Amino acid sequence: EGDDGAAASVMTAREAADNGLRVLLFDLTASGAASRTMLEGDDLPGITDLLVSEAQFTDIIHSDHFSEAHVVP
C-alpha cells in the first residue's frame, strides 16, 4: 500500500524484466514513488498528460535506467 507498495512494484517489475519479460509499470501513486526511482527527473510526461491530450501514448513510455523495464509516470 502507498509508497511501500510502489517500492515492491519497482522491484517486481525489474525482476520480471531481468528475466526476459516485457514490463510496463504504470505509476498511479500521487507522489510518483515508483517512477522517481526508475527515471531521472520528475518533469517527464506521464499518464495525466495523456489523459488531458497533452502527449501521445508513445511520449509517456520511458525506459528504466537500471533494467529493461519501462514506466509510465
Side-chain angles (χ1 to χ4, degrees), residues 13-34:
R14 287 178 173 163
E15 179 84 19
D18 289 344
N19 285 316
L21 296 174
R22 294 170 59 178
V23 176
L24 178 59
L25 175 72
F26 282 84
D27 182 2
L28 300 178
T29 62
S31 65

Side-chain angles (χ1 to χ4, degrees), residues 4 12 20-21 23-24 27 29 35 44 50-51 61 68-70:
D4 292 335
T12 302
L21 296 174
V23 176
L24 178 59
D27 182 2
T29 62
S35 58
L44 297 171
L50 176 70
L51 295 174
I61 301 173
E68 295 297 316
H70 291 84

Side-chain angles (χ1 to χ4, degrees), residues 62-73:
H62 308 282
S63 297
D64 178 18
H65 292 286
F66 301 104
S67 75
E68 295 297 316
H70 291 84
V71 63
V72 174

Side-chain angles (χ1 to χ4, degrees), residues 26-28 45-57 60 72-73:
F26 282 84
D27 182 2
L28 300 178
I47 191 72
T48 303
D49 299 298
L50 176 70
L51 295 174
V52 298
S53 300
E54 292 181 0
Q56 302 264 338
F57 190 71
I60 66 167
V72 174

